[in-house]
Amino acid sequence: MVSFLSFSGTVTSISDFPIGQNAGSEGCYTLFTVDNGYGNIVNFVVSPTTYFVDQSIVAVGDRITGFYDANAPVPLIYPPQYRALVMAKDHPYQNVKVDYFNRQLVSSDGMLQLNLSPNTPIVLQNGQAFRGDPANRNLIVVFGATTRSIPAQTTPYKIIVLCP
């Protein structure tokens, strides 16, 4: 099971990331260096399968949040290098959470509960409508304001279902 963690900061560099001797792979993988402004730096390996929320184009100087699998193996180097599963460009009044949501639509960390409305778009990563139940799945949730309760509650702007 994927255990999502995130790291937020400013993109300080974007460079090609060679993945070995595979012909035709040059330019397909990139390395995003992200600095959180507090002395912590992370390198995200961005692959063709990395999902970019709202298909945002990221450039040096943009504030982003990268989501990665905390259970995935990583090389023991500094700065840490994670394979980005989801990237979200920061926008005012918009939050993004990537997590497993249970049958009550509460995130695995117990910090966010989703209240769906009939107008909440629920889609697959390819943009097509999702016709199943979003409960008990890994979801990308795009939302705005929340209540001040624990868990915080929100009616999402959009839900993207991460199918296995």
Side-chain angles (χ1 to χ4, degrees), residues 15-34:
S15 58
D16 285 336
F17 184 74
I19 60 163
Q21 306 295 342
N22 297 348
S25 66
E26 49 291 318
C28 292
Y29 292 79
T30 53
L31 194 68
F32 284 25
T33 301
V34 180

Side-chain angles (χ1 to χ4, degrees), residues 5 12 22-23 42 46 55-56 65 73 76 86 88 135 160:
L5 286 181
T12 58
N22 297 348
V42 162
V46 177
Q55 296 181 345
S56 296
T65 300
L76 294 174
V86 176
I160 300 103

Side-chain angles (χ1 to χ4, degrees), residues 37-60:
Y38 298 101
N40 298 315
I41 297 172
V42 162
N43 285 328
F44 282 112
V45 176
V46 177
S47 74
T49 60
T50 300
Y51 183 84
F52 280 79
V53 175
D54 297 329
Q55 296 181 345
S56 296
I57 304 298
V58 174
V60 172

Side-chain angles (χ1 to χ4, degrees), residues 94-113:
Q94 178 178 298
N95 304 298
V96 176
K97 184 167 184 81
V98 181
D99 207 346
Y100 176 84
F101 287 81
N102 66 18
R103 62 187 170 92
Q104 286 91 24
L105 294 175
V106 175
S107 61
S108 66
D109 62 4
M111 298 304 289
L112 186 65
Q113 181 173 7

Side-chain angles (χ1 to χ4, degrees), residues 70-149:
N71 295 328
V74 295
L76 294 174
I77 58 174
Y78 182 82
Q81 182 173 292
Y82 303 115
R83 188 174 142 251
L85 300 176
V86 176
M87 297 292 274
K89 194 171 175 178
D90 290 1
H91 294 289
Y93 312 111
Q94 178 178 298
N95 304 298
V96 176
K97 184 167 184 81
V98 181
D99 207 346
Y100 176 84
F101 287 81
N102 66 18
R103 62 187 170 92
Q104 286 91 24
L105 294 175
V106 175
S107 61
S108 66
D109 62 4
M111 298 304 289
L112 186 65
Q113 181 173 7
L114 308 180
N115 298 321
L116 301 183
S117 85
N119 298 327
T120 302
I122 304 173
V123 298
L124 296 168
Q125 287 176 273
N126 64 9
Q128 299 303 303
F130 176 73
R131 306 207 183 284
D133 183 1
N136 296 315
R137 295 181 180 273
N138 290 323
L139 305 174
I140 302 169
V141 180
V142 181
F143 62 100
T146 63
T147 62
R148 295 188 184 265
S149 60

